[in-house]
Amino acid sequence: MDIFDQVNALMSEIQQFDTDNAEGLESFRIRFLGSKNIIKPLFSEIRNVPNDRKKEFGQKVNALKQAADEKFKSLQGQLKASSDSNIEIPDLSLPGIPVANGAFHPVRIIMDEVIDIFRRIGFDVAEDREVEEDWYNFTAMNTPEDHPARDMQDTFYVQNDPGRLLRTHTSSVQSRVMTTQKPPIRIIAPGRVYRNETVSARSHCQFHQVEGLYVAEGVSFADLKQTILYYAREMYGPDARIRLRPSYFPFTEPSAEVDVYWGLKDETDYRITKGTGWLEILGCGMVDPAVLNNCGIDPERYTGFAFGMGIERQAMLKYRIDDIRLFFENDKRFLSQFSAAK
Ligand code: PHE
C-alpha cells in the first residue's frame, strides 16, 4: 500500500471510530496518541516522499494527528457526561429519613426529678447493691429475725444462702452508709427493690424507691417535716399541702406516713384517693436510736431522720398510668410517650 493510502486509511479509521466505554477510549488513545502511537513514524516517512508531494504529505499527517486529538477529546467529553448523568442527585426538597429518638423511661424521669430536688438542699446520692446481706436490710435496721415486721416485706432469699437476699427496700443503703461514714450524713439513695408479691395491676415484685437519710447533731422532727414539705412543693406545686399520719416502721421512732392533697376534681381522683382527696407518698420518721447504735453511731450525740418513697407510684399519678406492669414490659409504644418534664 502506498504511503498516502496508509494515511487515508488511518484517517477514515479515526473518523469512524466510536465507543461508549472507557476501555474503548483508552485503546484509541494508545493507538493514536500514546508514546508509541501509529502516527509518529509517519513523520519520518516524509523523506521517502517525492519532493513535489512532501508538503501535501506533511499536511495530511498533521491533519491525522489533529483528527485523533479532536476525536479523543470529544469522546472523552461524551463519556464523562453520560457517567455524570448516572449519578443520582437526591431531591433535596424531600423530607429526610426520620431518625427515631430514644425516650427516657418514666421511672427514670421521676427519679431524676426527686434526686434533683434533694440535691438542691445538699443531699448527696448514695448507691449500693441490690443483692444484699440480711444484716444490712433487716437486722441493722432494727428488724432481727423473728421480728413480726419482717412479714411486712415478703422477701426473696438467695437459694442455699439465708444470709443473702434481694433488698426489700432502699433502707439497706442507710445501714451501708452509716457503718462507713461519720455524721453529718445527708444522702438520698435511689434504686431498685424486690418483694415476693403476686404481680398485679397495683403491685409488682420489683419497683424503685428513693431513700433519704439525715444524721447530725440536733436533727429534729421539725426538720423532717419541713424537708418533706419542701419536697412536696417542689414536686407537686407551690400550693401543695401535706399531712402526717402516725405509722410504724421498725427503724424509725416516731414514724409517720405522709399524704399529699391531690384533690377531688374527677372520678379518677375519687378512685385513687379512696374518696378522701389525700394520697400517700412516703414513709418516714426519726432514725431509731437502736439503728444508730447498730451502725456504730452514738445515739446520745446524734439524731436523724429518714424517709423512703416509691417511684412507680408517683409516676402512675403523674402520668395517669393505671397498671404498674407497664413499667417493666419495655413496650416501645408505651415508653416513647414520655419525655423529661423540664
Ligand atoms: N423502707 C420503708 C418501706 O419500704 C420506707 C421508709 C424509709 C420508712 C425510711 C421510714 C424511713 O416501706
Side-chain angles (χ1 to χ4, degrees), residues 136-144 147 149-150 152-153 168-172 174-175 178 195 209 211-213 247-256 283-292 294-295 304-308:
Y136 290 95
N137 190 83
F138 285 130
T139 310
M141 301 309 287
N142 204 30
T143 320
H147 193 290
R150 284 216 180 189
M152 284 166 73
Q153 301 179 358
T168 58
H169 52 185
T170 43
S171 299
S172 62
Q174 282 192 43
S175 45
M178 283 192 281
R195 288 185 200 175
Q209 289 187 328
E211 191 83 6
L213 174 69
S247 185
Y248 173 78
F249 298 103
F251 30 90
T252 46
E253 181 59 36
S255 304
C284 63
M286 298 305 290
V287 180
D288 194 303
V291 173
L292 296 175
N294 292 340
C295 297
F305 66 70
F307 56 85

Side-chain angles (χ1 to χ4, degrees), residues 158-309:
V158 174
Q159 216 169 15
N160 304 326
D161 186 356
R164 228 173 273 275
L165 46 78
L166 297 182
R167 66 178 178 195
T168 58
H169 52 185
T170 43
S171 299
S172 62
V173 184
Q174 282 192 43
S175 45
R176 282 279 171 193
V177 169
M178 283 192 281
T179 48
T180 51
Q181 292 177 32
K182 298 243 161 305
I185 291 168
R186 192 158 47 196
I187 56 109
I188 41 166
R192 190 176 283 206
V193 301
Y194 304 85
R195 288 185 200 175
N196 191 357
E197 274 173 33
T198 313
V199 175
S200 72
R202 298 262 121 216
S203 66
H204 209 284
C205 58
Q206 55 177 335
F207 55 99
H208 296 78
Q209 289 187 328
V210 174
E211 191 83 6
L213 174 69
Y214 180 32
V215 180
E217 280 181 41
V219 178
S220 71
F221 199 90
D223 297 324
L224 168 60
K225 190 179 169 190
Q226 210 53 36
T227 304
I228 300 300
L229 182 61
Y230 157 78
Y231 167 72
R233 290 190 170 157
E234 291 294 308
M235 193 70 176
Y236 298 100
D239 300 326
R241 282 192 288 147
I242 58 166
R243 70 176 186 189
L244 276 69
R245 280 179 293 106
S247 185
Y248 173 78
F249 298 103
F251 30 90
T252 46
E253 181 59 36
S255 304
E257 274 169 324
V258 177
D259 298 340
V260 65
Y261 191 69
W262 184 254
L264 291 168
K265 297 173 290 298
D266 58 30
E267 204 149 328
T268 325
D269 291 350
Y270 272 88
R271 187 166 50 78
I272 59 179
T273 68
K274 299 193 180 86
T276 65
W278 292 92
L279 265 179
E280 186 197 319
I281 52 164
L282 56 86
C284 63
M286 298 305 290
V287 180
D288 194 303
V291 173
L292 296 175
N293 223 2
N294 292 340
C295 297
I297 290 173
D298 181 4
E300 300 293 328
R301 186 170 168 198
Y302 297 106
T303 52
F305 66 70
F307 56 85
M309 62 179 88

Side-chain angles (χ1 to χ4, degrees), residues 83-153:
S83 76
D84 281 355
S85 69
N86 284 336
I87 295 171
E88 242 178 87
I89 295 167
D91 180 349
L92 299 178
S93 67
L94 289 174
I97 298 159
V99 177
N101 281 327
F104 283 105
H105 194 285
V107 167
R108 181 80 257 164
I109 295 170
I110 302 290
M111 203 132 94
D112 283 347
E113 254 176 77
V114 176
I115 290 170
D116 198 50
I117 289 169
F118 284 103
R119 267 215 167 117
R120 291 205 288 272
I121 54 169
F123 282 75
D124 290 325
V125 172
E127 281 178 309
D128 220 293
R129 66 215 73 188
E130 292 176 16
V131 180
E132 186 53 279
E133 288 168 38
D134 183 295
W135 192 84
Y136 290 95
N137 190 83
F138 285 130
T139 310
M141 301 309 287
N142 204 30
T143 320
E145 231 172 297
D146 305 328
H147 193 290
R150 284 216 180 189
D151 294 343
M152 284 166 73
Q153 301 179 358

